[in-house]
Structures are given as structure tokens and as C-alpha cells.
Amino acid sequence: MARSAGKVLLTGWFSFLDGEATAGDVLALRRLRAVLDHAGIPYDVAWSPGYRAEALHLSDAAEDSYSHLVFLCGPLHGPQVEELHTRFRHCVRVAVGTSVIDASSPAVGGFHQVLARDAPGGVPGVRDLAAGAPAGAATPVVGVVLTHGQGEYGPARRHDEVAEALTRWLAAKDCARLELTTRLDTRDWRLCATPEQFESVVRRLDLVVTDRLHGLVVALRSGVPALAVDPVDGGAKLSAQGRALDWPATLGAGQLHPAELDRWWRWCLTSGRALAERRRRELLATPARGAAVDATDAVLTALSAAVSTSPGPGPGRPRGG
């Protein structure tokens, strides 16, 4: 079969069976695709099945269907790149936006032309392809705050089931997901060391998805809507806090249906924004005198009663107050 004149196969490290797609590589690909589209040059993209299971894979690309092969972004080295020269030996092979580490390697030498972004002795100042990629639409940034513990709830505990359902559902949403934990640590750079650091992250989010009580509380303190799911059968502390904060997007473990989650997702990203901001103002406002908003007044009463009881209650004696 004769090759289709002028058809190009676009490849990169995102094409290999065990390769990976990075944000930079895919942006570089978008830049090149935009240029080829403008020039009216037909092309296919070969994707790794691990990233795009439904797309054209390198193993299925017919060698005689292409006149040119372009390899873009990433370093030119290794047997996977060398194999392209053997398999597509009848194609004109061009590398663009790549890094050349060893110009004498077969992976580099097999290309008819190498338009490197960096190479020993190369011309400095060549921009990476990703820098000029067409801008895409922004997506929601979602903080995901889950707990995998709380064994004290015994057989009512559905934490693993809730986490699996939420993360499977989230994986299909068009959003930027950021896994967060409320745990603080002054020694681990990956964790926040203070509540202020954690709240600074949350304030920059569009939405929090959580099965933790304090995931809900901190989100609303920050004016960020939360889609909260109580991971305990029948509801426990998260459900109670959802009622205390009058926050409607608080679901039970039995409500993890995609349609229900989608409904509250849409609400959180629309009407829920304004309500979350109102909750923020309410939570951070100075309470009116005599207003019972939390248990601090009761603590003062209990402490006053304890102080007035002297000496403190001994073994077997009733507590004062």
C-alpha cells in the first residue's frame, strides 16, 4: 500500500506503552497541532493506551500510512526512541522541541532533522513549544479532603466505600483535583504546619469535596462551598455539623449516586458560592452578646462551677455544678 502523501504521525513520550503524558508535553502537542491545522497538513496523534485507551495507539499506527513522523518534547534518548527509526524507516523523521543530551546517540542520529529546544552548543533562547500553546478554558479547582481512619465507628464505618465512590466520580469530572489533609506537621514539607497555611490553600479553591467534619468547617470559614458526605451509616458528626452550619450540600453515605453528586456539584459551583460567602461572614463575625453559637459559654459555666467547688471532687464523689 502506498503511503498517504503529506500525512504526519505525531509522537512523543506520551505515545509509548509505558510512557507518561505530562501537562507540558500535551500543551506542546496542542501548539504543534494548531500550527498544522492552520497550514492544512493532515496528521494523527499516537497515544499511550495507559493515558488514552480509546485513541490511536502507536502499536496500531500503520507505517505505510504516513510520509512523516514528528517526535516532540522530552529528551531524545533510549531504545523506545531508537525503535521509531527502525519501524518508521520509510518516513521523514523530525524531532522538535526536544532536549539533546548526547548528540552522538542513535536516538538522536536517526532523525533527519532535530529542532532542539536545548542541546550542547545549541542556540540559546528557543522557547519550549508548551509556552505558545493555545489557551484552554479554566476548570474548577477542587480540594479533596478525605479521612481513611476513624475506626471508633465500628460496623457503621463506611469510610473506604465513600472514598472509593467519591474519587471514582471525581476522576470523571473536568476539574483540577488537589488532595489535601487537615493533618499538620512542622517537619514534613508536604504538609501545612499551621491552620493559617491550610486555610490559605482552601481560600484559593473553587470547591471542597470532603468526608471530614473539619473539611466542611474550614471550607465554609474560607467562603468556599463544600460537597460533604458523612461516611458513617445513619450519619454522625459531619451530618450534625452540616445541620449546625445550615449547609444543604451535606449527604449521607447512602446518597452517593452520580446523579445526586452531579446535582450538588452544580449547586456548589453556582448558588452555593453566594451561600458559602454568607456563611463565612457569619462564622467570622463577633457573636452578639448572649448568642449561643458554640459551646464556649457552656465551658465558662462549667469552669466557674469547678472553681467554686473546693477542693475538687474526690474519688466516688459527685462533680459540682
Side-chain angles (χ1 to χ4, degrees):
M1 181 185 296
R3 288 177 294 159
S4 300
K7 193 169 189 182
V8 179
L9 180 64
L10 303 181
T11 65
W13 285 97
F14 53 79
S15 305
F16 298 134
L17 182 62
D18 56 351
E20 61 180 25
T22 70
D25 288 356
V26 175
L27 285 171
L29 175 63
R30 288 183 183 174
R31 166 63 174 157
L32 186 55
R33 293 181 69 170
V35 170
L36 296 182
D37 288 339
H38 184 74
I41 297 174
Y43 61 85
D44 289 331
V45 180
W47 293 99
S48 166
Y51 180 65
R52 294 276 300 274
E54 77 291 350
L56 173 69
H57 302 150
L58 192 58
S59 59
D60 299 324
E63 294 89 334
D64 55 5
S65 295
Y66 306 98
S67 60
H68 294 74
L69 178 141
V70 174
F71 186 91
L72 61 101
C73 215
L76 295 182
H77 81 100
Q80 293 167 300
V81 178
E82 294 174 24
E83 173 61 23
L84 293 176
H85 302 314
T86 302
R87 183 176 164 199
F88 295 93
R89 58 186 177 276
H90 299 302
C91 291
V92 175
R93 298 178 299 282
V94 179
V96 59
T98 54
S99 295
V100 174
I101 300 168
D102 179 5
S104 66
S105 75
V108 177
F111 286 100
H112 295 88
Q113 191 169 8
V114 176
L115 305 172
R117 63 189 174 192
D118 53 272
V123 178
V126 177
R127 292 180 181 174
D128 183 78
L129 292 174
T139 63
V141 180
V142 179
V144 185
V145 187
L146 302 176
T147 174
H148 300 280
Q150 300 182 339
E152 61 269 22
Y153 288 103
R157 185 182 180 280
R158 294 181 61 183
H159 296 60
D160 294 339
E161 178 185 338
V162 166
E164 196 279 331
L166 280 176
T167 52
R168 183 178 64 247
W169 168 73
L170 276 171
K173 305 299 289 184
D174 184 15
C175 66
R177 293 165 288 274
L178 183 63
E179 185 178 16
L180 300 173
T181 177
T182 57
R183 185 167 71 87
L184 305 179
D185 195 318
T186 58
R187 299 158 298 174
D188 189 338
W189 68 268
R190 294 166 295 186
L191 302 177
C192 294
T194 66
E196 289 78 14
Q197 292 175 8
F198 184 76
E199 288 186 308
S200 293
V201 175
V202 173
R203 279 195 292 269
R204 288 162 170 79
L205 301 174
D206 296 305
L207 172 64
V208 169
V209 173
T210 186
D211 66 359
R212 297 198 70 120
L213 180 155
H214 285 122
L216 169 62
V217 171
V218 175
L220 297 186
R221 271 179 53 88
S222 304
V224 175
L227 201 172
V229 179
D230 195 319
V232 179
D233 259 336
K237 59 184 179 181
L238 193 149
S239 296
Q241 199 57 213
R243 292 190 294 271
L245 295 170
D246 194 18
W247 185 249
T250 307
L251 311 182
Q255 295 177 277
L256 292 178
H257 311 296
E260 184 75 355
L261 292 171
D262 286 344
R263 181 169 76 90
W264 285 110
W265 170 279
R266 291 189 296 269
W267 180 83
C268 284
L269 292 175
T270 52
S271 305
R273 294 177 185 268
L275 183 58
E277 176 57 24
R278 289 202 296 274
R279 291 291 177 272
R280 183 191 69 81
R281 293 196 298 267
E282 294 165 2
L283 292 172
L284 299 185
T286 302
R289 184 179 296 276
V293 295
D294 57 25
T296 51
D297 286 345
V299 169
L300 293 177
T301 301
L303 291 175
S304 298
V307 169
S308 66
T309 305
S310 181
R317 294 171 58 188
R319 294 182 180 271

